[in-house]
Amino acid sequence: MKQRYFIAVVSKEHTQRGVNGGFMQVCHGKKGPLKRMSLNDWLIVYSPAEKMKGSEKCMAFTAIGQASDELVYAHKMSEDFIPFRRNITFYSCQQTSILPLIDQLDFIQNKVQWGYPFRFGFLEIQENDFRLIASQMLGENGSKDFVNY
């Protein structure tokens, strides 16, 4: 099966929780987006803000990893919030601003209103866009290990 490439839109604070725990949760805990992924598919996290309800902007890619297995599972965070998660193997990377990449990214068709593709919180991108972002996040050495598979 061909590998696919996705972007999740998650605050930097929540992304770090996922990286630390080896999981990703998207779109307020919905199951559907995570089910689109298969084992070894790639995930890049774009963080528009530092915190979910905060006003401090981040506007950067903050994590990169691969689906570790085929499981999408419920995780009880409180009595009334049981979101779905997926296990992700995250790789060491550097936070990368989206701003210098906008003109080069094909999934951003309108370069003026560049935030539009992120509105649904989870999107599939093409390999060329993934490679561009990953090369910036992983650097020369890391991108050879992870992107030139």
Side-chain angles (χ1 to χ4, degrees):
M1 182 177 228
K2 186 177 184 248
Q3 279 186 319
R4 294 167 65 195
Y5 310 92
F6 296 90
I7 292 179
V9 182
V10 181
S11 73
K12 183 177 176 181
E13 178 184 46
H14 284 181
T15 297
Q16 195 55 53
R17 283 189 206 159
V19 169
N20 292 342
F23 68 88
M24 186 46 53
Q25 167 178 316
V26 299
C27 303
H28 306 290
K30 291 183 179 158
K31 184 179 191 178
L34 296 174
K35 284 186 64 101
R36 291 174 53 195
M37 296 181 74
S38 297
L39 174 66
N40 292 325
D41 280 352
W42 285 92
L43 178 71
I44 292 175
V45 182
Y46 172 70
S47 298
E50 293 289 329
K51 297 183 179 194
M52 188 169 89
K53 296 191 185 214
S55 60
E56 186 179 354
K57 293 179 179 178
C58 181
M59 296 191 301
F61 298 105
T62 53
I64 186 169
Q66 286 182 285
S68 307
D69 53 37
E70 294 287 352
L71 301 175
V72 175
Y73 57 93
H75 176 79
K76 185 176 183 177
M77 293 186 70
S78 68
E79 285 301 316
D80 58 349
F81 185 50
I82 305 171
F84 286 90
R85 292 180 173 180
R86 180 167 204 128
N87 294 323
I88 303 289
T89 300
F90 287 101
Y91 300 108
S92 179
C93 68
Q94 59 189 8
Q95 179 173 307
T96 300
S97 172
I98 191 172
L99 299 177
L101 302 177
I102 291 170
D103 287 337
Q104 300 170 66
L105 293 168
D106 291 337
F107 77 90
I108 298 177
Q109 294 177 357
N110 182 333
K111 306 304 183 183
V112 175
Q113 295 176 323
W114 59 265
Y116 189 75
F118 299 110
R119 71 196 182 284
F120 294 115
F122 194 82
L123 61 142
E124 186 170 358
I125 61 172
Q126 297 301 311
E127 184 177 357
N128 61 312
D129 283 340
F130 168 79
R131 285 183 180 274
L132 174 63
I133 299 165
S135 70
Q136 300 298 306
M137 296 182 78
L138 299 171
E140 282 302 310
N141 293 332
S143 65
K144 287 179 185 150
D145 292 341
F146 297 116
V147 183
N148 298 325
Y149 38 87

